[in-house]
Amino acid sequence: MKILAPIVSTMRFNPMPLQRHVERDNASAARVRSRGKRTSMLACLASIVMSSLVQAQTPGVRTGAIDTRDGRRVSIEQRVEQAFRIEPVVQRFKGRRGEVIPFSFTVTSTGKTMQIDVSPIQLRQEESGIILHDEHSPPMEGVKFTTPTRFTLNAGETVELKGKVTIPLAKTNYLSFGLLVRDEGMVDEPTDADAVGGQTRAAIRYVTQYVLRVDVETGLTNLSSIEQMEIEDAQVVSHEGMPYIRAYVKNPSNFALECRVRAELSHRDSAGASKSRSADPVALFMPSRANLDDDEKYLVRMMPNARLRLEAPLETSLIDGQYDLNLMVSNGRRTMLERTFPQTLLVNSFRALDTRIANLGPGVTLEPAQIELGRVEGTQRMVTLEVKNNSDDDQLIHLVPRDHLGEPMSRLMLSSTKFELDAGRSKTIRALLRGVSKESSQWGTLDIIRRNLKSPNDVESATSLPLELVHQQRPQLTVAAGPLQWANLTDGNAFVIEVANEGEGYAPIQGELLLGRDDGSRPHRLLDGFGRWLAPGQKRELQFHLPAEIDAGRYQIRLTVRSRDNLSVEEQVVVLDLTDEMLQGSQHASNEAAAFSNADADPASLR
């Protein structure tokens, strides 16, 4: 049961709080301390030129001076360059236990005379995989400097920083020694002319520091450190509508280690036995390496006593049911550690999945799930389709392209239209746009008929995927949107809006709703649509489901609905008071739906 209510803005919208979190993130490296009418900031810089942004809940909107009278927010912007450069930042070696390895770093002044301090440090690792220095723990043993640890770096001078590391006898395949190089800082004091009486003045101390690493690979395969690793948890979660593996692992030892972690999701059959659905396990990576393109992306390096979050997209079709998520930690080709986590997965939790992978039946999929070919910019004349059979039975697949009137699309040629696909195998089909058409474009479906070869006369499933051919130009997009409404759904509270395609071709729909508080906290980002195509004449309701932890209060809502080429379909910005009554309404709707489903049917109404 669904209960709808129109959205009426409580007050005029102020866009600032929804953007405030961005500035807070940029200023997170700075520490701000206030003493009376004087504010000082220590900005620690790494090996990059950065723009430091400082904000204060004090008056005025002026760089370098803060008016204490009107209580406004302030941003102080300053472009800063590091006082010296060091190359390289990380040195990697291969060595044996007990071996002594020399290292060398080049320190170059950028134009100012500075006092430099060098010291060994212990390294710590954030959950995302980012490595930082740990000032509160004793440094790792085995580092010895052969050059001074405190020296003056003159303007324009280059100095070699040298030392040695001794590889301990511990059984680990990877070690990381940390070095901290820091100057004493330089104070930029404001002059009396910078501030008028009654204003707060700011002084900024710039400090350049580098965290250097000497990494050593020992090549050991019999590793007690990896065997001590703890696989704490692993789940399949929804990330922007797609299934995503998220796991947490811990290194409880006092030494760093290096490994690889893979995951495999298998579906349980009716007898409760685990049955594999994927031939290739998924390699997990640290979020800090998510943008790497080579195999190094999947190399997991863990600092002592670190707890890491490992992730990976899960690009496979799913059905409702019970699964086993198996995690495997390996060194080279040898699996050192393994643990299985039961999962209960519902397809509705991954609402973007069917925009990429079409589920033709249990274990049988086709990619891509939305097919476009064309001769205009942004389209391709040939598209590759891939059909996978991860079921236990051989399948017979029949592909039939039709236009929206049900007629065959003669301008689309498929390399294979009817074929058998053995269990555990996949097949690639080439779709090619041929000839010249007088029509500007065509839209229709690719109909897929699947039969199980155990009973080839029976149709197991029939699926229709959106198909569009663009011969001369794309049809004009015409998408209309209704009002934004509040809905108490049986599965929770949501903001809903209906969109309709009034054009003559498919319209991809992408919706985003930002829900933020006035306190400047990071807004909730709610998504729907996910680029799913909307057929001409078709309507669809976008549902932006609220997280369960949402409390009553005043919220700022920013809604954006877009289509192809970033075309704006709808943009709304409102302020709304969410009441306890509104938030509890979904529970009433769920209870009423349950009561209705459990009600006794009137025998007279049965036919």
Side-chain angles (χ1 to χ4, degrees):
M1 181 178 181
K2 179 166 66 175
I3 303 174
L4 293 176
I7 296 296
V8 179
S9 180
T10 304
M11 58 178 291
R12 187 174 179 180
F13 179 76
N14 176 12
M16 187 66 72
L18 281 185
Q19 301 171 348
R20 191 189 289 172
H21 72 280
V22 177
E23 297 183 356
R24 292 194 176 197
D25 287 347
N26 291 341
S28 60
R31 292 176 292 178
V32 181
R33 293 177 296 177
S34 177
R35 296 179 180 177
K37 291 188 178 180
R38 182 178 182 84
T39 302
S40 64
M41 178 188 72
L42 173 62
C44 298
L45 305 180
S47 59
I48 59 173
V49 178
M50 62 175 286
S51 177
S52 67
L53 177 60
V54 183
Q55 63 177 29
Q57 297 299 329
T58 47
V61 183
R62 187 174 303 186
T63 300
I66 304 172
D67 192 333
T68 59
R69 289 171 294 185
D70 58 6
R72 294 180 185 172
R73 197 168 145 274
V74 149
S75 292
I76 301 176
E77 298 185 7
Q78 178 78 34
R79 185 169 179 83
V80 190
E81 183 177 348
Q82 67 270 27
F84 56 89
R85 297 190 304 271
I86 299 182
E87 295 180 348
V89 177
V90 179
Q91 288 196 17
R92 295 186 171 92
F93 302 95
K94 293 184 179 180
R96 300 183 304 273
R97 292 187 300 165
E99 184 178 352
V100 177
I101 299 178
F103 64 82
S104 176
F105 295 90
T106 301
V107 185
T108 304
S109 170
T110 59
K112 297 178 181 178
T113 299
M114 307 295 293
Q115 190 73 28
I116 308 296
D117 290 311
V118 184
S119 61
I121 55 169
Q122 183 63 267
L123 298 174
R124 64 181 178 89
Q125 198 169 18
E126 297 287 308
E127 194 177 80
S128 63
I130 295 176
I131 297 176
L132 305 171
H133 69 286
D134 186 356
E135 293 181 316
H136 304 292
S137 299
M140 185 173 178
E141 297 180 356
V143 180
K144 182 178 180 181
F145 294 101
T146 56
T147 54
T149 58
R150 183 176 176 84
F151 59 91
T152 300
L153 182 66
N154 296 315
E157 185 181 13
T158 297
V159 174
E160 291 291 321
L161 175 61
K162 298 182 178 181
K164 300 177 181 179
V165 294
T166 302
I167 303 176
L169 301 179
K171 289 185 178 182
T172 182
N173 61 349
Y174 169 74
L175 294 159
S176 188
F177 299 87
L179 313 175
L180 179 64
V181 183
R182 174 188 286 174
D183 65 32
E184 290 187 344
M186 179 176 177
V187 178
D188 180 19
E189 292 281 2
T191 64
D192 292 337
D194 292 333
V196 185
Q199 293 182 336
T200 300
R201 298 187 301 171
I204 302 176
R205 179 182 299 273
Y206 299 104
V207 175
T208 302
Q209 69 177 28
Y210 281 78
V211 176
L212 310 178
R213 293 200 339 253
V214 179
D215 293 351
V216 181
E217 298 178 10
T218 64
L220 289 179
T221 57
N222 184 15
L223 305 173
S224 58
S225 57
I226 289 186
E227 292 172 347
Q228 296 178 39
M229 269 186 64
E230 299 174 4
I231 305 177
E232 294 186 342
D233 187 30
Q235 290 182 328
V236 178
V237 300
S238 177
H239 177 68
E240 296 187 350
M242 290 293 292
Y244 215 73
I245 297 176
R246 184 166 293 159
Y248 292 89
V249 296
K250 185 177 181 180
N251 174 20
S253 71
N254 293 322
F255 295 94
L257 59 87
E258 184 179 271
C259 64
R260 293 179 185 269
V261 180
R262 297 171 300 156
E264 186 174 27
L265 185 69
S266 56
H267 183 246
R268 296 184 195 172
D269 57 22
S270 57
S274 183
K275 185 170 65 173
S276 177
R277 289 178 53 85
S278 174
D280 299 322
V282 179
L284 306 186
F285 53 85
M286 301 180 294
S288 61
R289 294 189 166 220
N291 294 326
L292 297 181
D293 296 326
D294 55 13
D295 191 58
E296 287 284 311
K297 174 178 181 176
Y298 305 103
L299 188 60
V300 179
R301 290 192 172 111
M302 298 187 69
M303 296 297 107
N305 302 299
R307 182 179 186 266
L308 296 184
R309 184 178 78 250
L310 305 179
E311 301 175 339
L314 184 62
E315 298 181 356
T316 185
S317 65
L318 299 171
I319 60 175
D320 293 348
Q322 304 295 319
Y323 289 79
D324 286 329
L325 180 59
N326 188 40
L327 256 66
M328 299 160 284
V329 180
S330 61
N331 176 42
R333 296 183 179 180
R334 181 183 175 187
T335 299
M336 307 288 295
L337 196 62
E338 195 169 351
R339 187 176 175 186
T340 300
F341 297 87
Q343 308 283 309
T344 300
L345 302 182
L346 301 175
V347 177
N348 287 340
S349 301
F350 313 103
R351 294 183 292 157
L353 186 58
D354 62 355
T355 65
R356 304 186 189 182
I357 304 173
N359 187 0
L360 308 182
V364 186
T365 61
L366 185 146
E367 297 180 61
Q370 302 176 139
I371 306 163
E372 180 189 59
L373 295 93
R375 300 176 183 275
V376 302
E377 184 180 357
T379 64
Q380 296 178 324
R381 286 188 60 194
M382 188 182 76
V383 173
T384 299
L385 311 178
E386 185 178 20
V387 183
K388 295 181 180 180
N389 181 12
N390 289 325
S391 71
D392 292 334
D393 300 324
D394 299 341
Q395 306 288 328
L396 177 63
I397 307 295
H398 189 194
L399 306 178
V400 182
R402 303 181 188 276
D403 64 18
H404 66 285
L405 299 176
E407 300 296 327
M409 282 189 172
S410 58
R411 296 302 178 188
L412 179 65
M413 182 177 68
L414 300 175
S415 61
S416 182
T417 58
K418 196 171 185 178
F419 54 90
E420 294 182 4
L421 189 58
D422 296 339
R425 303 299 296 270
S426 64
K427 184 176 179 61
T428 298
I429 298 102
R430 291 184 302 277
L432 178 66
L433 187 64
R434 64 180 179 182
V436 178
S437 176
K438 296 180 180 179
E439 297 185 73
S440 177
S441 63
Q442 292 176 282
W443 67 274
T445 59
L446 177 64
D447 298 338
I448 307 162
I449 301 170
R450 180 182 65 88
R451 290 180 171 90
N452 191 317
L453 284 180
K454 287 184 176 180
S455 53
N457 295 326
D458 299 329
V459 175
E460 291 287 330
S461 67
T463 308
S464 296
L465 303 182
L467 171 65
E468 188 165 49
L469 307 181
V470 185
H471 302 290
Q472 299 179 28
Q473 66 179 15
R474 293 185 186 275
Q476 183 177 356
L477 286 172
T478 307
V479 184
L484 180 64
Q485 295 180 299
W486 172 261
N488 297 131
L489 308 177
T490 55
D491 56 349
N493 297 308
F495 292 101
V496 300
I497 184 172
E498 185 179 81
V499 292
N501 184 359
E502 300 175 352
E504 298 180 354
Y506 283 109
I509 301 297
Q510 178 72 50
E512 178 188 71
L513 187 145
L514 297 179
L515 183 68
R517 297 294 297 264
D518 287 337
D519 57 6
S521 59
R522 186 181 299 273
H524 295 275
R525 183 170 179 254
L526 313 178
L527 303 176
D528 198 8
F530 306 105
R532 184 178 290 105
W533 291 3
L534 187 63
Q538 184 181 11
K539 295 181 180 180
R540 181 182 302 149
E541 184 180 74
L542 301 182
Q543 298 180 352
F544 303 95
H545 291 266
L546 270 66
E549 66 270 14
I550 288 292
D551 297 322
R554 176 161 294 181
Y555 288 85
Q556 296 181 351
I557 303 166
R558 183 189 298 273
L559 171 69
T560 304
V561 181
R562 298 190 182 278
S563 187
R564 182 187 294 118
D565 300 328
N566 208 30
L567 173 70
S568 177
V569 175
E570 181 70 14
E571 293 188 12
Q572 295 187 29
V573 180
V574 297
V575 173
L576 178 68
D577 286 331
L578 292 181
T579 65
D580 290 327
E581 182 180 2
M582 294 171 64
L583 295 173
Q584 294 171 4
S586 63
Q587 183 63 42
H588 299 322
S590 179
N591 292 340
E592 289 182 17
F596 180 80
S597 64
N598 293 328
D600 294 332
D602 182 1
S605 66
L606 301 179
R607 298 289 188 265

